[in-house]
Amino acid sequence: MVRVPVAAALHRVRKAPHALARHYRARRAQPVVELVHQPHPYARALSLVTVVLFGAWLGLLIVGNVRAPVGPMDTTMTLRPSLTGGTKINVSPLGALELRSHIAPIRLDVDVDQLDPVRSQALVDHPERLSGLQDEVTRDVGHGTLDLAVRSGVAVVSGATALGLAVYRRPRRALAAGGLALTLLAASGATAFATWNPKSVLEPKFSGLLSSAPSVVGNARSIVSEFDVYQKELARLVTNVTKLYDVTSTLPAYAPDPSTIRVLHVSDIHLNPASWKIIASLVKQYKIDAIVDSGDTMDHGTAAENGFLDPAADLGAPYVWVRGNHDSQVTQNYLERMDNVHVLDEGRAVSVAGLRFAGIGDPQYTPDRSVQQAGDPAEELAGARLSSFLNDQKAAGTPVDIAIAHNPVAARETDGEVPLALAGHLHHSEMEVMKYGTRLRIEGSTGGSGLRAVEGKHPDPIETSILYLDRDTRRLQAWDEIKLGGLGLTTAEVSRHLPRENQPGASLTPGTPSPSTPGSPSSPTPGTPSPTTPRSPSPSP
């Protein structure tokens, strides 16, 4: 047996706790490796972009606006994110004016806060200042826009940086968010500058009470050729804004342009009695020369409904009508006996207000369930017959200017035979130029779809349009789309559209009548620009 000295054993016992402590301290000092899931690079990038966009939007919302005087008005200018761009001018409580001024992911909002009485009175007391009003407004808008650009840059950088710091808690990531926000704003500004369209003022879009602008703004074509006259009238309009709150009749009114033929296109009234009052009002306001109804005036076409048609003879303008699929032969016979109403069928042509119309009734009467409907083939056959009649008229030396059919399928068969074809049936408006050059205008429902308005979640709007045709060439120069809120609504919207060939500066194709042809809307009688309005999202077809 080996005997361990008692002293050595006691020494080891005393050292044991210290050795154990050193052992555990050494283990704690060793690096610990943990497996942490790192986010995917795409997810990190998407997260950063989301933070940048939201932060920039918050910055613009909080501090990204500028109060600036524009002529006699005090305005607030703001940049807002947008998918379509453009400029929106809010004139509370009168409504809004939208311009397709640029295409970029930012929109310029201009709120007209008030009309400065001192500056307005100065214009009234010193009419000679009106000649410089345009330059003054241009300078004011330029200064305001520059100030807005600087303030918006600070706003988006501050907003994105602050939100990035709150989310990531890392200064470097926050600064990266701010830099990216500034880059996106600069790119958006460059895109807006590259796509800037100063002529967008020729085709504005009015809403609210400003939809009455057709009677106060004047013919858009005259703005190009008679800008001096327009400038003075526009200044007069500015000085009268304060009176709008009390008496709207003080606005400067324009006499009709005698070189323009105005045609009111209605369709699909479907027994809505409100339509007659709307039509009569538009005939008086726009000095309409002729009304074209492309069918479905009735709902079931029964003899009991015939009394609904009586106002058609007393609307203040000749009424040109074709049968729709909800109009029966009984309906047609009743209208044929009325004065001032021209019923077109089987290619019959008639001259009204300096234009030659021809049309064909819808071959299918759908309320009659006892007859099997033939669908589009029947419409195509009717359209082919109408096209043949048009060709015969052309050969006889009496070419037709406007062809009318209820169904667009039939109207499309007239392509190449007439400059303009009108249709309805779809209950929404469309405009297209077909393969062989005929322009097809499809009207919405002027009756707001009649009783069908209560079937859906939202009532259908009441739609109609005013077509402006040159008296000499009988070609379409412009058209106004009018849309009123449906059943129970009180909204109004009027938009002006110019055909592509009538866009300012557009090159004319062979055979296109010159916009400067004497008697056309682009060369109006001095001092008599015509009432119209507004705009299209882009150069219209």
Side-chain angles (χ1 to χ4, degrees), residues 33-44 170:
V33 179
E34 296 182 2
L35 297 178
V36 179
H37 176 71
Q38 296 294 327
H40 194 279
Y42 289 148
R44 294 173 60 187
R170 296 179 183 177

Side-chain angles (χ1 to χ4, degrees), residues 342-492:
H342 305 271
V343 175
L344 304 183
D345 197 6
E346 299 299 327
R348 177 185 175 228
V350 62
S351 294
V352 176
L355 296 171
R356 193 159 177 81
F357 300 86
I360 193 167
D362 198 293
Q364 303 181 98
Y365 175 52
T366 53
D368 188 355
R369 304 301 180 185
S370 64
V371 179
Q372 185 176 0
Q373 306 304 320
D376 286 353
E379 301 292 343
E380 292 170 353
L381 180 59
R385 291 166 56 203
L386 177 57
S387 179
S388 177
F389 295 136
L390 296 174
N391 191 48
D392 293 341
Q393 290 281 336
K394 190 185 301 182
T398 55
V400 170
D401 303 309
I402 300 177
I404 312 168
H406 176 67
N407 196 309
V409 174
R412 286 191 173 91
E413 296 298 316
T414 66
D415 188 14
E417 298 295 339
V418 286
L420 180 63
L422 304 180
H425 186 63
L426 301 184
H427 290 209
H428 66 264
S429 61
E430 294 181 15
M431 179 75 87
E432 66 174 286
V433 177
M434 296 185 286
K435 181 179 179 181
Y436 297 108
T438 295
R439 182 182 294 275
L440 173 61
R441 171 66 185 175
I442 303 173
E443 191 53 70
S445 174
T446 311
S449 300
L451 293 177
R452 294 169 182 79
V454 300
E455 293 179 353
K457 183 177 180 181
H458 301 288
D460 290 346
I462 294 172
E463 296 181 270
T464 183
S465 59
I466 298 168
L467 313 175
Y468 299 87
L469 296 98
D470 183 83
R471 189 171 296 276
D472 293 335
T473 64
R474 296 182 296 281
R475 294 299 181 110
L476 184 68
Q477 298 295 311
W479 71 94
D480 289 346
E481 292 182 0
I482 300 174
K483 183 180 295 187
L484 306 176
L487 191 65
L489 302 180
T490 56
T491 59

Side-chain angles (χ1 to χ4, degrees), residues 78-438:
T78 311
L79 288 181
R80 289 285 181 258
S82 172
L83 296 177
T84 57
T87 299
K88 185 175 183 180
I89 303 174
N90 299 299
V91 189
S92 179
L94 304 178
L97 169 66
E98 296 181 27
L99 304 176
R100 190 66 171 173
S101 57
H102 62 277
I103 302 174
I106 53 174
R107 186 186 73 197
L108 175 62
D109 284 0
V110 180
D111 294 326
V112 178
D113 300 325
Q114 63 180 357
L115 194 69
D116 187 276
V118 176
R119 283 175 283 165
S120 301
Q121 189 61 41
L123 285 175
V124 176
D125 296 338
H126 303 281
E128 67 275 6
R129 295 185 182 181
L130 296 178
S131 60
L133 182 61
Q134 177 197 358
D135 295 334
E136 179 186 350
V137 170
T138 302
R139 285 195 304 271
D140 292 343
V141 171
H143 293 158
T145 303
L146 181 61
D147 190 10
L148 178 62
V150 174
R151 184 182 291 265
S152 298
V154 174
V156 299
V157 171
S158 301
T161 302
L163 186 60
L165 189 61
V167 172
Y168 298 115
R169 301 182 184 277
R170 296 179 183 177
R172 181 175 295 179
R173 295 293 296 276
L175 291 175
L180 180 57
L182 183 60
T183 302
L184 291 176
L185 180 64
S188 299
T191 303
F193 180 79
T195 60
W196 183 255
N197 177 24
K199 296 183 177 65
S200 60
V201 70
L202 299 182
E203 296 184 273
K205 179 179 179 181
F206 295 96
S207 60
L209 293 178
L210 287 180
S211 60
S212 62
S215 62
V216 299
V217 174
N219 187 292
R221 298 301 301 267
S222 69
I223 297 175
V224 180
S225 59
E226 300 288 338
F227 187 81
D228 290 340
V229 175
Y230 171 73
Q231 176 179 300
K232 295 176 183 178
E233 296 292 346
L234 181 61
R236 288 177 58 200
L237 178 61
V238 170
T239 60
N240 282 328
V241 167
T242 54
K243 301 177 183 178
L244 272 173
Y245 295 89
D246 301 320
V247 185
T248 58
S249 61
T250 59
L251 290 172
Y254 291 89
D257 183 352
S259 67
T260 302
I261 303 174
R262 294 168 174 78
V263 176
L264 176 64
H265 184 196
V266 303
S267 189
D268 297 87
I269 292 176
H270 285 289
L271 287 179
N272 187 343
S275 299
W276 297 126
K277 294 183 179 180
I278 294 171
I279 293 172
S281 176
L282 292 173
V283 167
K284 182 177 180 180
Q285 180 182 359
Y286 283 84
K287 311 297 182 184
I288 295 298
D289 298 299
I291 306 167
V292 172
D293 185 344
S294 50
D296 273 6
T297 313
M298 312 297 264
D299 219 348
H300 298 89
T302 62
E305 297 173 341
N306 284 346
F308 172 78
L309 299 169
D310 291 342
D314 301 308
L315 294 173
Y319 200 85
V320 181
W321 182 87
V322 297
R323 187 179 66 249
N325 61 294
H326 281 262
D327 304 318
S328 66
Q329 191 62 45
V330 172
T331 303
Q332 180 164 316
N333 294 340
Y334 188 84
L335 281 168
E336 285 177 336
R337 294 193 294 267
M338 297 175 65
D339 295 333
N340 208 36
V341 175
H342 305 271
V343 175
L344 304 183
D345 197 6
E346 299 299 327
R348 177 185 175 228
V350 62
S351 294
V352 176
L355 296 171
R356 193 159 177 81
F357 300 86
I360 193 167
D362 198 293
Q364 303 181 98
Y365 175 52
T366 53
D368 188 355
R369 304 301 180 185
S370 64
V371 179
Q372 185 176 0
Q373 306 304 320
D376 286 353
E379 301 292 343
E380 292 170 353
L381 180 59
R385 291 166 56 203
L386 177 57
S387 179
S388 177
F389 295 136
L390 296 174
N391 191 48
D392 293 341
Q393 290 281 336
K394 190 185 301 182
T398 55
V400 170
D401 303 309
I402 300 177
I404 312 168
H406 176 67
N407 196 309
V409 174
R412 286 191 173 91
E413 296 298 316
T414 66
D415 188 14
E417 298 295 339
V418 286
L420 180 63
L422 304 180
H425 186 63
L426 301 184
H427 290 209
H428 66 264
S429 61
E430 294 181 15
M431 179 75 87
E432 66 174 286
V433 177
M434 296 185 286
K435 181 179 179 181
Y436 297 108
T438 295

